[in-house]
Every structure is written in C-alpha cells, then in structure tokens.
Amino acid sequence: MTITAERPSATQDRGAEYLDRARAVAAVIESEANEIEATTTITPRAYQALADAGLFWILVPEEYGGAGLDIVSAFKVVQEISRADGSTGWAFMANSCSTGVAVGFMSPQGAQQVFGGPDKGITAGMVVPAGSGVRVDGGYRVNGRFRFASGSAHATWIGAGFVVHDENGDPVMRPDGQPDCQITWLPKEKVEFLGNWDVMGMVGTGSYDYRVDDQFVPDAVTFETFSTTPVRPEPVYQLGLLGIGVGGHAPVALGLAQRALQEIATLASTKARPGYDGVIGDSELFRHDFARHEALFRAAQAYVYEAYGDAEATAAAGETITDEQRARMRQVATWAQEVAGDVVMFAHRWAGSGTVRNPSALGRCVRDAAVATQHALVDRITLVEAAAAILPGYQKSPSA
C-alpha cells in the first residue's frame, strides 16, 4: 500500500492542536469515569469539557465553526478520549462521526440549520433503516422504534434511518431494485426516549432506545442511506458513510488496548503472585507476553492510520478511492476490535483480582472490550467480504 498524497501541513497542525485539547479533556474524563458508569451516560462536567474544547465538531468544516480535521487526526482524538474512558470514547465517537456523516451528505440548507448557528448541533442515534417513512410535500413522515442511541443524552439532533413506503404500505424500490432508504435528523424534543440501557459493558454510553412517532422531516435534513456522493468538497467525506461511521470504532478499540497496557504495566510493577520471585513485572513470562501484545497494539494502530490516511490521501489527489482501499478500511476496523480484545484479556489475566473489585479502570476495559467486539458492523463476516478485494493483489498471474 502506498500513500498517494501527503496531508497539508495546516491540517496536520490543526490535528496536533486538537489532540492536545483531547489530552487535556482526558484528564477530566478520567476523574469522572466512575460517575459516568454509575449514571450510564457522560456526566455534565465531562460533556462540558468536550464541548468547550470543540471536540464534538472535529469532522465539521471550518465554515461552520468546526475543526475540519482529516480522518487520521480525528481518529487520534477519538483514541485519546477512549483511552481515558471506553464509554465516553464510544459515545463521543458516535457523536463526532455521525456529525461528520451528517454535514458531509446533508444539503447545505440542512447543514446550515444544524451546524451553522451559534449552538452547533450534536448528532446521535441509529441511522440504519429501522423505521418507515412516507413521502409528503417537502419531506417525509417518519415512524419507528430505534435502538442504541449512543451519546444521545447530550445530543441535540437524533438520527432515524428509514425505508420509504408508498401509501399502500409497500416499500418504494429504486431503479437498481433495492429499497429506497433514507437517513434523517430530528430535533431531540421530537423523539421519545425509552431508556432500556442496562448492560455489562460500555455502560456509560447512554445507548438508549427511542421512538419516532409520525414526525415530519424536511428534505433539507434527509439524504440517501447508501449515497456515495458527498455534498462537501473536503476529501474526508469521500470515505463515505461506512468509512467514517464504521471506521470510528477502530480508534475506540485502540484506546481500550492502550489503556489496558498502561494499567497492567503499572500494576505489574508492584503486584506479587504465588510462584514468582518478586513482582510479576520482573518475570520473563510477563515481559514476553507484554512485548507480544504491545506489538499487536502498535501494529493495529499503524495499520488503522495507514489504511484510512491512504484512502483520504487518494481522494485529496483527485483520484477515486479503490475497492481495495475501501476493503482495507473495513478489514482494519474489524481487526482492531480483535486486537483490542486480545490485549485487554492479556492484561486481565495478569491482573488477577485487580479487575474484579470495582471501581477499576482495567475492569472497565475488560467489560467495554467484551461489548465493543459484539457490534454488528465489526462482525468477522466483514473480513470475509474485505478479502474479496484484497486477495487479487497477492495472486500471481498464470504465467508467473
């Protein structure tokens, strides 16, 4: 894989600035992590720190007062927030990535309405087509029950994916034979939240169920679910809905793995266990395991940023992102979850009772990683799908 273009220095400078902001906010989040888990959502203090630093809008263009970051710089911010606390990182990823999708594919009129005012919108919610909508003058009337609205407690606009139906209740089909699927955004007050978030991990994400009951949504804030044509010129939006929305799970996984390594390295420097001479951090067995898993983390981190940076650089050069590049983004988003799961479990095994008693940052990593790997969009089947576009690059020609 070759990088087709370098990111502009101005973008890199903004990325470094926002990563510094994220590190400052991370200190606040770490101090709030226990309360975030206890209340199942980001606390007001943690939310205010993220908002004051402008982090929710890292993928919003500068035109609307956002950071206008490239995807690698944005993902590094997500990784740092996830390192501070997995739940906060997940919810923040859901907010910032869905915001990037919204502004990249929504009409300019809708983007101005959501992001152009003094109080920039924060988005959350389920955008896969789980609801139904009927075409009416100027927009749609939408109904549906939705799940997993991560980060919705502090969001101002809630997403709803739906299949368009005709007046007889039948799905409207597109010329390619597929159902007409749309994504829309509603002001939070037009959505009924149902709670129902009692889980083993990612507890503080506030991923509540919600209902949309016969609400009108205008065309300005609605767009095709599977659109590949952004309305904005910035290269980052050429990554598409999947590239941005699914890709955001990768830096969350990296943050969990990074925190687990930090926690076990600190714990191993003082923890003694039967059968070991001195603390476990001095044993050859621990050091061997640590070196292997730290290498896995580093490899996953490098590949995440290589794959996504390469694809965006291709778009920045005015070229079309290839099928292989898109496959690699899907591949590494899933693989990063597997690596995080392995790294976190390595740390858990060596920690002994260190992850058992609450509160425990490493214990949260264990629970959060167990839930993160269950997300439908990072199922192992995505590796099967990705392989179809990656395999040809390794196959020799018959004459070779």
Side-chain angles (χ1 to χ4, degrees):
M1 184 185 301
T2 58
I3 302 298
T4 55
E6 293 294 329
R7 288 181 289 141
S9 59
T11 303
Q12 293 176 330
D13 290 343
R14 284 200 307 277
E17 174 193 345
Y18 275 83
L19 184 55
D20 285 342
R21 294 188 191 189
R23 288 171 176 147
V25 172
V28 175
I29 291 170
E30 288 193 50
S31 70
E32 295 284 296
N34 293 335
E35 185 68 13
I36 288 168
E37 187 165 55
T39 58
T40 73
T41 191
I42 297 176
T43 61
R45 182 168 176 255
Y47 157 76
Q48 200 61 54
L50 287 162
D52 288 347
L55 299 187
F56 286 115
W57 306 282
I58 50 177
L59 287 172
V60 171
E62 293 180 276
E63 173 185 339
Y64 295 121
L69 295 188
D70 63 276
I71 199 67
V72 170
S73 295
F75 279 4
K76 287 181 178 179
V77 170
V78 173
Q79 179 178 340
E80 175 59 16
I81 299 302
S82 301
R83 184 204 60 80
D85 175 59
S87 285
T88 305
W90 182 285
F92 168 72
M93 174 273 295
N95 294 139
S96 58
C97 288
S98 66
T99 296
V101 167
V103 76
F105 289 83
M106 189 187 296
S107 72
Q109 296 86 353
Q112 180 63 39
Q113 180 183 353
V114 176
F115 304 108
D119 297 322
K120 295 186 292 295
I122 299 173
T123 57
M126 179 61 67
V127 296
V128 299
S132 63
V134 177
R135 186 76 169 135
V136 295
D137 186 30
Y140 301 86
R141 297 207 71 87
V142 177
N143 288 274
R145 176 166 175 159
F146 303 84
R147 305 171 66 194
F148 304 119
S150 301
S152 58
H154 51 269
T156 53
W157 290 79
I158 306 300
F162 62 93
V163 179
V164 180
H165 289 71
D166 61 25
E167 55 218 19
N168 297 320
D170 298 320
V172 174
M173 308 305 289
R174 305 186 65 83
D176 62 3
Q178 298 299 312
D180 183 2
C181 299
Q182 301 283 326
I183 295 170
T184 195
W185 305 91
L186 300 93
K188 186 176 183 179
E189 59 270 19
K190 292 188 176 183
V191 172
E192 179 188 0
F193 283 93
L194 305 173
N196 195 31
W197 189 242
D198 184 6
V199 289
M200 62 171 284
M202 290 295 178
V203 178
T205 60
S207 302
Y208 308 123
D209 289 6
Y210 61 102
R211 179 186 293 120
V212 176
D213 187 14
D214 195 30
Q215 291 291 333
F216 171 75
V217 294
D219 289 327
V221 293
T222 304
F223 55 91
E224 295 179 18
T225 302
F226 302 111
S227 171
T228 57
T229 307
V231 299
R232 297 287 312 183
E234 292 85 357
V236 66
Y237 304 118
Q238 295 290 339
L239 299 176
L241 280 70
L242 285 177
I244 298 172
V246 178
H249 292 80
V252 174
L254 295 177
L256 288 171
Q258 184 178 4
R259 183 59 180 269
L261 290 170
Q262 291 175 336
E263 291 295 317
I264 194 58
T266 301
L267 189 152
S269 67
T270 59
K271 184 177 182 62
R273 297 186 73 174
Y276 294 83
D277 295 328
V279 297
I280 61 171
D282 290 339
S283 75
E284 291 184 357
L285 183 57
F286 171 82
R287 292 188 174 189
H288 173 270
D289 281 359
F290 182 88
R292 287 185 63 252
H293 288 88
E294 199 269 346
L296 275 174
F297 160 68
R298 292 281 180 176
Q301 180 175 251
Y303 187 23
V304 167
Y305 295 134
E306 177 188 2
Y308 281 87
D310 181 51
E312 186 175 352
T314 294
E319 301 173 11
T320 300
I321 297 173
T322 68
D323 289 343
E324 180 182 348
Q325 287 173 312
R326 294 194 183 278
R328 289 190 177 280
M329 288 190 288
R330 294 293 285 122
Q331 176 197 35
V332 74
T334 297
W335 181 62
Q337 309 301 318
E338 296 188 6
V339 169
D342 288 346
V343 170
V344 169
M345 287 308 298
F346 144 74
H348 170 59
R349 286 193 299 270
W350 277 101
S353 61
T355 60
V356 175
R357 297 184 186 277
N358 290 324
S360 163
L362 185 52
R364 279 197 302 274
C365 285
V366 172
R367 297 191 298 277
D368 291 346
V371 170
T373 56
Q374 299 308 305
H375 196 282
L377 295 179
V378 292
D379 188 276
R380 288 178 298 170
I381 195 66
T382 61
L383 297 178
V384 177
E385 296 165 353
I390 295 172
L391 273 168
Y394 285 91
Q395 292 169 343
K396 296 180 179 180
S397 65
S399 60

